[in-house]
Amino acid sequence: IEKKKIYNINYHKKRIFHTIGKNYPLESLIEPPSNELLKCKVIYSQHKIVDIEYQVYKKKEIKTFKVIFDDTIEYDYKYLDRTAIEKLYSQKEDCDELIIVKNGLLTDTSIANICLLQNGAWHTPKKPLLLGTQRAKLLDQNKLIQTDLTLNDLKKAEKIALCNAMIGFDPLLTYTLSD
């Protein structure tokens, strides 16, 4: 939310429907408290909206990545409990962020879907941990191609971009991969 405008709300509503099979009129439930850039967290159960929280958002600067391998992690839905992600994040050492590899394929970072520029086209993993709302929008706009991406693809990528609801599509100007 910025200047009280709610961005990509239809994609967030689709995610809620995909998760619990119900539609909620988010437009009438979300009441931004300020004009600042806000992260809005809608907490819901199978039966109702439990709470809506707002937090002023400050973008995290990311310049270094640690590649983390975990073949068991599951994060199909946007869970309130991020214990599995936090456990991996604690292994990033002195890097700013991690890139999660599952079963030999790139998935996501701890906060965003990942995209790689290859041969002039942007690719995103076919099997991310989370089907992000910004990722869905970019796929619908034919700005991303779903591909099985490996560590080798990451190392050869022309550029890396992160995408999520808060940062949109963010190509990184400089970055370092740590083993």
Side-chain angles (χ1 to χ4, degrees), residues 3 12 22 33 35 38 43 49 62 77 79 82 86 99 103-104 112 115 124 126 132 134 139 154-155 157:
K3 296 180 182 170
H12 290 282
K22 288 187 180 176
N35 285 323
L38 300 172
I43 302 168
I49 300 290
I62 299 172
Y77 300 103
Y79 297 113
R82 289 179 43 91
E86 289 165 5
I99 295 173
N103 299 322
C115 308
T124 192
K126 272 186 190 177
Q134 183 66 27
L139 285 167
L154 177 64
K155 291 176 180 176

Side-chain angles (χ1 to χ4, degrees), residues 9-175:
I9 194 158
N10 289 330
Y11 287 94
H12 290 282
K13 289 169 66 171
K14 283 180 188 178
R15 175 164 46 210
I16 290 173
F17 185 81
H18 172 73
T19 303
I20 62 171
K22 288 187 180 176
N23 288 311
Y24 284 107
L26 294 181
E27 302 90 332
S28 63
L29 300 172
I30 295 173
E31 299 176 3
S34 74
N35 285 323
E36 298 171 279
L37 177 60
L38 300 172
K39 180 178 182 178
C40 177
K41 184 186 293 185
V42 178
I43 302 168
Y44 51 92
S45 70
Q46 187 71 31
H47 308 289
K48 65 180 180 173
I49 300 290
V50 175
D51 195 14
I52 299 177
E53 299 174 359
Y54 305 92
Q55 180 179 16
V56 175
Y57 184 78
K58 184 174 180 344
K59 184 179 173 187
K60 177 180 174 180
E61 189 171 337
I62 299 172
K63 293 192 179 207
T64 58
F65 291 94
K66 171 89 175 164
V67 176
I68 304 286
F69 298 86
D70 187 320
D71 291 345
T72 62
I73 187 162
E74 296 292 333
Y75 196 75
D76 297 341
Y77 300 103
K78 185 116 179 160
Y79 297 113
L80 195 55
D81 179 359
R82 289 179 43 91
T83 305
I85 300 288
E86 289 165 5
K87 180 181 172 192
L88 294 180
Y89 188 78
S90 71
Q91 299 174 42
K92 72 175 182 56
E93 298 170 345
D94 59 349
C95 293
D96 301 320
E97 186 52 70
L98 56 93
I99 295 173
I100 303 165
V101 176
K102 180 177 179 179
N103 299 322
L105 299 174
L106 300 185
T107 60
D108 290 322
T109 71
S110 74
I111 59 166
N113 294 122
I114 191 165
C115 308
L116 305 181
L117 185 64
Q118 298 177 311
N119 302 317
W122 285 100
H123 297 257
T124 192
K126 272 186 190 177
K127 299 173 188 170
L129 293 179
L130 181 68
L131 299 172
T133 57
Q134 183 66 27
R135 177 184 179 275
K137 178 181 175 182
L138 294 167
L139 285 167
D140 284 352
Q141 295 172 341
N142 295 314
K143 293 182 178 177
L144 294 177
I145 300 165
Q146 294 185 83
T147 311
D148 284 332
L149 298 169
T150 66
L151 190 55
N152 194 38
D153 293 316
L154 177 64
K155 291 176 180 176
K156 294 187 314 185
E158 298 161 41
K159 287 186 182 180
I160 293 177
L162 302 180
C163 68
N164 71 23
M166 293 307 302
I167 62 174
F169 181 77
D170 186 24
L172 304 179
L173 299 176
T174 62
Y175 58 88

